[in-house]
Amino acid sequence: MSDPTPFSPSAQPSDGPAEGPLTGGGSGSGGDSVPTERLADYLDAGREPYDPLIEDDPECLAQLLALERLRALSSELVESDVATAPAPDPSWIASVMDRVRLESRTGRDIPLASPDVRSTLHITEGAVRSLVREAGDAVPGAVVISCGLAGDVGVVDAPIRVDVAVSVVYGADLRRVAELVREAVSEALARQTEIVVESLDVTVRDVHLEAREAGL
């Protein structure tokens, strides 16, 4: 775990390669064609009526689920003592969603073992990033800002370095939350992928308050 940066609720996600997450979808998928505002409206409507442009596109669905988790976090914070503190820059959720949108693209193919020599199985890099994000976001007080895979993911058993940047809610034990994120991500990768994880680093990139002012 890296040392956290100073308190900066409106800090932008770190720069770095992010070719994309969520279960397979080709380069022609519509992740970039659906704005965050439409996703927010769709959530407000209870995901009704069914919108195939969102629900049937892996990239859009990744963004929708990330937004849903961010909203749940905001609701929890509104009910906590943190809600009495000044709200952060309203662009905070938007900046996280920008990173989710970037990382929800398909990316590289990661091979999986197949019981049939006539078939080829793979999971997309985007799917793995989405898995990492979902596992990290499930840790109380944590929001995954970005995640990346370094290494030759297209080669079976190649060692892969996993880097995760998170924002932690103000007042939480930064090291403890980062360690819980590392454990959750490690367990998710071991359970649902065949990636050989050489290292898994979690960096606390910033500290956030609640985001009820973001309008999402």
Side-chain angles (χ1 to χ4, degrees), residues 96-174:
V96 175
M97 286 303 298
D98 283 345
R99 175 58 67 172
V100 173
R101 186 176 297 273
L102 180 64
E103 292 185 353
S104 65
R105 296 169 185 163
T106 302
R108 297 171 288 179
D109 287 342
I110 301 173
L112 298 174
S114 174
D116 186 344
V117 295
R118 297 169 298 177
S119 65
T120 300
L121 303 178
H122 69 269
I123 185 173
T124 66
E125 186 176 15
V128 174
R129 283 184 177 148
S130 183
L131 175 65
V132 168
R133 186 177 293 279
E134 182 176 1
D137 285 350
V139 174
V143 173
V144 175
I145 296 176
S146 65
C147 52
L149 308 177
D152 195 348
V153 298
V155 176
V156 176
D157 293 335
I160 304 299
R161 300 184 306 279
V162 182
D163 295 304
V164 184
V166 299
S167 177
V168 175
V169 68
Y170 177 75
D173 183 329
L174 302 182

Side-chain angles (χ1 to χ4, degrees), residues 71-86:
R71 281 185 162 190
L73 171 67
S74 297
S75 297
E76 292 171 5
L77 289 171
V78 166
E79 297 173 359
S80 74
D81 291 340
V82 178
T84 63

Side-chain angles (χ1 to χ4, degrees), residues 39-93:
L39 297 176
D41 290 343
Y42 187 53
L43 281 179
D44 288 339
R47 298 171 70 170
E48 294 289 345
Y50 185 91
D51 187 340
L53 183 62
I54 296 174
E55 299 282 2
D56 296 349
D57 184 275
E59 297 176 14
C60 288
L61 188 57
Q63 296 163 34
L64 182 72
L65 296 179
L67 180 57
E68 190 171 39
R69 291 194 297 270
L70 285 170
R71 281 185 162 190
L73 171 67
S74 297
S75 297
E76 292 171 5
L77 289 171
V78 166
E79 297 173 359
S80 74
D81 291 340
V82 178
T84 63
D89 186 327
S91 68
W92 186 78
I93 280 185

